[in-house]
Amino acid sequence: MPAGTDPHAGSAALAPAVSLEGVSRTFGKTVAVNAVTFTVARGEMFGLIGPDGAGKTTTIRLMAGLLRPDRGSIRVLGSDTLREHRVVTDRVGYLSQ
């Protein structure tokens, strides 16, 4: 691919790196993530900090497109993780500890 050409460039290049809006995820009766909303700008350093069981790993797996949210929407690099799942998983890597 020639330098400076990105097939995913365009309006997505101006979008936040990550955007969650009202995201929730349950496992049976356990609420892992409850109505989470936040935005991470491109170039911004961001961390998820909390005690065990707070939903950090579930949130990361949702952002990586490995889990589907029960409610809400997630966009990564301008792409919807549900509607454009393949685009997101082609551009995002996830390695758990």
Side-chain angles (χ1 to χ4, degrees), residues 73-88:
S73 64
I74 304 169
R75 295 188 73 80
V76 175
L77 302 172
S79 298
D80 184 287
T81 58
L82 293 178
R83 291 187 204 105
E84 301 168 279
H85 182 259
R86 183 60 182 226
V87 172
V88 173

Side-chain angles (χ1 to χ4, degrees), residues 2-83:
T5 59
D6 181 351
H8 304 290
S11 63
L14 303 175
V18 178
S19 175
L20 282 77
E21 182 68 38
V23 174
S24 297
R25 173 64 192 219
T26 58
F27 297 97
K29 293 183 179 182
T30 302
V31 178
V33 176
N34 188 16
V36 171
T37 298
F38 66 82
T39 300
V40 181
R42 288 179 185 241
E44 181 177 18
M45 186 174 287
F46 181 84
L48 293 173
I49 301 170
D52 290 350
K56 302 176 301 292
T57 300
T58 299
T59 301
I60 291 169
R61 289 179 177 166
L62 287 162
M63 291 186 298
L66 301 175
L67 292 174
R68 297 175 65 94
D70 295 329
R71 286 179 299 283
S73 64
I74 304 169
R75 295 188 73 80
V76 175
L77 302 172
S79 298
D80 184 287
T81 58
L82 293 178
R83 291 187 204 105

